[in-house]
Amino acid sequence: MNIITSKPWDSKSLRPTEEKHYLNRRKALRQLGLATGGLLTAPLLGLKQRQKQNLDFTFVGLSDYFPADLNKRYTLDRPMTSEYDATHYNNFYEFISREDPNIYNVYKFVDQFDTRDWRFEVSGLANRTGVYFLEEMIKQFGLEERTYRHRCVERWSMAVPWTGFPMKKFVDFFGPQNGANYIKMTSFADPVVMPGVRNLNHYPWPYTEGLRIDEARNDVAFIATGLYGKTLPKQNGAPMRLVVPWKYGYKNTKSIIKFEFTKEEPTTFWNQVAPDEYPFISNVDPTVPHPRWSQEFEKMIPDGEQRPTLKYNGYGEFVAQMYNK
Ligand code: MTE
């Protein structure tokens, strides 16, 4: 069995990683077409080289970076959703289980998903590519808290405090090359620990989404690693997810395992499922109805209080200039 048991980046402070953890990650990466033949040989070689250049990097675990300071630039026009509601009403198709017909009850089925020592791959038209640890990024960029509105295409809405780092810092660190117009994001997908991936096999797994590079560099675009001052709950997309609150919720890719800088607009999960319902751009707009319902109003979780939908979900002052050219 080609399992790595002793790892050069292990340190005293790094929790020993169980074999099943590697098996799960390996399976998911194989689904992404990354592990052909040997176990991730090429990306791990890059990782070893970087570890050699960066010998002072030790793992302490993500929770040690919390809580983070609030960025006061982003304010809410409504009460914050309760932590209980934001973590018990979640859209995460990978975890939909036949055991509970309510698709928003995914919190019940996330226990086996192991998000420790998370790494992700960066590929395509970028100056830095390879496999990176999320914790390296947090060390590099630091963390801040932001309170954002959150609007699902199905019309429910919330207001929540995310912790994370600006996506701009992340994009600039990897350095898109000339011709990189988009960034594609891919979620972890493992049928062993994710009942939805196992059972909903008519869907085009893994979940993918994308942004234009200028959108990814907008001040509001955020990579969240936490919620309510703690590490992200699994049902909310642990340990790293996208947060782009001026777009409908489905753009907010959860549990990201791969970022790819591309020339062409990437295909996305929901666009493949229903192209006329889920366009790539998907900015919140009350004047553009979904083909099956109006988008003029939204309903706040948990009591369904209705509010008029705001263009760009209220983030026009930050994002409108990208679309008014
Ligand atoms: N990411 C993945 N991988 N799988 C999903 O099913 N659902 C999307 C988005 N990201 C989804 C996903 C949708 S439709 C919404 S509204 C938000 O996650 C919900 O985020 P929340 O559960 O934190 O509120």
Side-chain angles (χ1 to χ4, degrees), residues 140-159:
Q140 181 86 11
F141 310 134
L143 290 177
E144 61 180 69
E145 188 172 66
R146 294 184 180 191
T147 53
Y148 275 166
R149 291 181 287 274
H150 175 33
R151 167 68 154 80
C152 179
V153 72
E154 288 169 4
R155 289 188 290 204
W156 57 260
S157 68
M158 297 190 190

Side-chain angles (χ1 to χ4, degrees), residues 33 52 70 84 96 103 155 215 218 254 296:
K52 270 189 210 146
L70 176 69
Y84 183 87
I96 294 176
I103 69 161
R155 289 188 290 204
E215 294 177 323
N218 183 277
K254 291 181 168 179
E296 283 174 36

Side-chain angles (χ1 to χ4, degrees), residues 207-265:
Y207 194 99
T208 52
E209 258 302 340
L211 293 175
R212 296 187 332 213
I213 292 289
D214 64 326
E215 294 177 323
R217 279 193 164 127
N218 183 277
D219 285 348
V220 180
F222 202 57
I223 305 261
T225 60
L227 192 60
Y228 295 91
K230 293 170 273 190
T231 53
L232 265 184
K234 294 175 184 177
Q235 60 270 29
N236 292 87
M240 70 190 304
R241 67 171 285 171
L242 179 66
V243 180
V244 279
W246 73 96
K247 293 180 178 284
Y248 290 116
Y250 58 88
K251 298 294 290 183
N252 296 250
T253 326
K254 291 181 168 179
S255 306
I256 303 172
I257 199 168
K258 186 175 177 186
F259 296 84
E260 189 180 355
F261 291 87
T262 67
K263 182 170 187 298
E264 310 297 340
E265 183 181 290

Side-chain angles (χ1 to χ4, degrees), residues 86-92 103-107 235-236 254:
T87 57
H88 289 75
Y89 185 85
N90 300 98
N91 189 299
F92 202 168
I103 69 161
Y104 283 96
N105 281 348
V106 290
Y107 70 91
Q235 60 270 29
N236 292 87
K254 291 181 168 179

